[in-house]
Amino acid sequence: AADRRAVTVAVARTPGQPFTIETAYLRAPRSDEVLVKVVAVGMCHTDLIVRDQHYPVPLPAVLGHEGSGVVEAIGPNVKNLKVGDHVVLTYGACGHCAPCVSGHETYCKSFYEHNFGGAGPDGDIALQSEDGEPLHDHFFTQSSFSTYALARERNAIKVPVEAPLALLGPLGCGIQTGAGAVINSLKVRPGSSFVSYGAGAVGLSAVMAARIAGATTIIAVDVVPSRLELAIELGATHTINSREVELIDSVREITGGGADFALESTGRPEVLEASIEALGGMGTLGIVGAPKLGTKASFDINSLILGGRTIRGIVEGDSVPQIFIPQLVELYQQGRFPFDRLVKFYSFEQINQAAEDSTKGITLKPILQIA
Ligand code: NAD
Ligand code: ZN
């Protein structure tokens, strides 16, 4: 493997089992690819449900999809990035289908292949183990649980060098999902009411965004008291512990009849059903929380019709990352989007501790410090 670079990766080999830290070999960037020296990478719920095979990404695989780092080398067709640029890595998309060319890359017709395929869309695998075995990669067009990651120009988003690079990776997935759902998808209005069902990394990002958008009633719902306390510090005007009180009645009471806007990020069908019931007239619910494939929920059809209510699914907060990620960085720098409050740093070697703390609800958003 003379033309390949030795890298250190965390490999998911067996569902439900810890990641293993291994040496691997990564090929050089081609075409519009960039090689990124990873500085840090966030851990998202999606990494863990893929490791545990709720989504059938082939194993062994190198996951990680909230990377940030420095451009180390570029392929011959890269136009707008150069060596030394600071970048945040985000989701992949083809860039050519109808949703992509109309500015809706989160609904790319080959979104699954570009993010969950375990290889490039053409079947290419860029990583080999020490024994020469292919390691499934291209996870979210990055596989950034690694000291170096291959991304494409379109999903490596340039950020200012003054911004704290090690903190920024989660903007590429979990944080932009919650914030973008509120700002881009739901378009929460000043003076309106907003309910965040779930106060995890996604739900609390939505709470911060609702304050930016000018919602005057902001309710955070969760079952973990420490998360509800943090929600208040981040802009929630009310909290509901759904283990302690009746959820639908509480939301109706606080909002005076039902919510104008709501976001469901718990991934639990019973919470989703309650969030539909607790919508006000002409209210809109966005759904981002992902249960196992095939999960169903139900709602009262006539109440949806007569109330003029809307329910919609949302991927990655409808983010056009080249526009939205720099906006979030600027809001952070102005002190209006303090997402650093969600973060706890770990070393790369502590990846399994980070996963455990995240699963137990001890840590909201782990970031692995790689370099
Ligand atoms: P998380 O686990 O930190 O947040 C989920 C929260 O829901 C937790 O705080 C948990 O305590 C709370 N919860 C669980 N059961 C509850 C109940 N019965 N009532 C109230 N609250 C309850 O996860 P996260 O990182 O915030 O991600 C949230 C979801 O969004 C996950 O399912 C993740 O896979 C998904 N996600 C979707 C997208 C997308 O593009 N659609 C992107 C990123 C993440
Ligand atoms: Zn994610």
Side-chain angles (χ1 to χ4, degrees):
D3 54 336
R4 287 170 180 261
R5 174 186 296 263
V7 298
T8 304
V9 293
V11 188
R13 290 194 169 272
T14 317
Q17 292 302 306
F19 298 97
T20 53
I21 304 274
E22 304 178 15
T23 298
Y25 294 91
L26 181 63
R27 66 159 173 75
R30 298 172 182 159
S31 184
D32 65 345
E33 288 176 336
V34 293
L35 177 72
V36 175
K37 181 173 168 49
V38 179
V39 166
V41 54
M43 181 180 279
C44 170
H45 193 71
T46 308
D47 294 305
L48 302 179
I49 66 176
V50 167
R51 180 196 64 186
D52 299 344
Q53 296 284 282
H54 294 199
Y55 284 4
V57 175
L59 303 182
V62 175
L63 308 176
H65 65 287
E66 292 185 343
S68 63
V70 181
V71 175
E72 174 96 3
I74 60 174
N77 300 334
V78 170
K79 303 270 189 303
N80 297 310
L81 287 174
K82 57 183 190 317
V83 172
D85 280 347
H86 288 193
V87 291
V88 167
L89 305 182
T90 186
Y91 66 87
C94 79
H96 305 298
C97 66
C100 278
V101 298
S102 58
H104 304 288
E105 294 168 40
T106 59
Y107 308 102
C108 171
K109 286 186 180 170
S110 46
F111 192 87
Y112 199 87
E113 291 86 327
H114 284 271
N115 295 286
F116 297 103
D122 52 1
D124 165 65
I125 293 181
L127 261 180
Q128 278 178 8
S129 74
E130 275 196 296
D131 308 333
E133 158 206 33
L135 292 174
H136 289 284
D137 64 358
H138 284 78
F139 187 61
F140 278 75
T141 315
Q142 54 181 284
S143 289
S144 46
F145 286 161
S146 175
T147 49
Y148 289 86
L150 274 182
R152 292 176 61 200
E153 178 167 32
R154 64 177 307 104
N155 75 312
I157 311 304
K158 190 172 168 176
V159 292
V161 284
E162 311 82 64
L165 191 54
L167 179 67
L168 303 184
L171 295 178
C173 181
I175 309 274
Q176 80 175 352
T177 294
V182 165
I183 293 172
N184 303 321
S185 320
L186 297 172
K187 296 187 168 61
V188 168
R189 288 184 303 272
S192 65
S193 58
F194 170 75
V195 187
S196 186
Y197 294 90
V202 172
L204 289 175
S205 300
V207 165
M208 289 186 281
R211 173 161 72 175
I212 292 168
T216 43
T217 301
I218 302 174
I219 308 173
V221 179
D222 210 290
V223 292
V224 180
S226 60
R227 296 188 169 197
L228 295 174
E229 285 160 27
L230 182 57
I232 293 281
E233 292 175 37
L234 297 176
T237 57
H238 301 76
T239 61
I240 297 173
N241 185 330
S242 54
R243 255 190 208 138
E244 289 172 358
V245 297
E246 216 290 311
L247 182 53
I248 300 169
D249 289 347
S250 304
V251 171
R252 284 188 180 147
E253 195 182 310
I254 296 168
T255 55
D260 296 323
F261 300 99
L263 186 69
E264 157 38 49
S265 68
T266 71
R268 308 228 166 204
E270 70 277 15
V271 178
L272 171 61
E273 289 176 356
S275 71
I276 298 169
E277 292 260 325
L279 273 181
M282 297 183 70
T284 305
L285 171 73
I287 305 173
V288 294
K292 275 200 169 172
L293 294 179
T295 306
K296 296 200 162 112
S298 69
F299 60 88
D300 183 322
I301 299 170
N302 284 298
S303 134
L304 198 82
I305 297 172
L306 297 170
R309 298 179 174 92
T310 305
I311 308 172
R312 62 157 295 195
I314 300 168
V315 173
E316 296 287 338
D318 288 346
S319 170
V320 177
Q322 280 80 357
I323 298 170
F324 195 53
I325 288 177
Q327 287 175 346
L328 291 176
V329 171
E330 199 166 353
L331 285 163
Y332 167 75
Q333 288 174 315
Q334 291 183 359
R336 297 161 73 191
F337 187 69
F339 74 97
D340 57 321
R341 299 286 308 277
L342 314 183
V343 165
K344 182 173 173 193
F345 284 97
Y346 295 79
S347 69
F348 196 9
E349 293 67 35
Q350 290 174 305
I351 182 168
N352 293 308
Q353 185 67 47
E356 195 184 319
D357 289 357
S358 165
T359 304
K360 284 188 179 154
I362 298 170
T363 301
L364 270 159
K365 174 55 75 179
I367 296 184
L368 309 175
Q369 191 109 40
I370 309 279

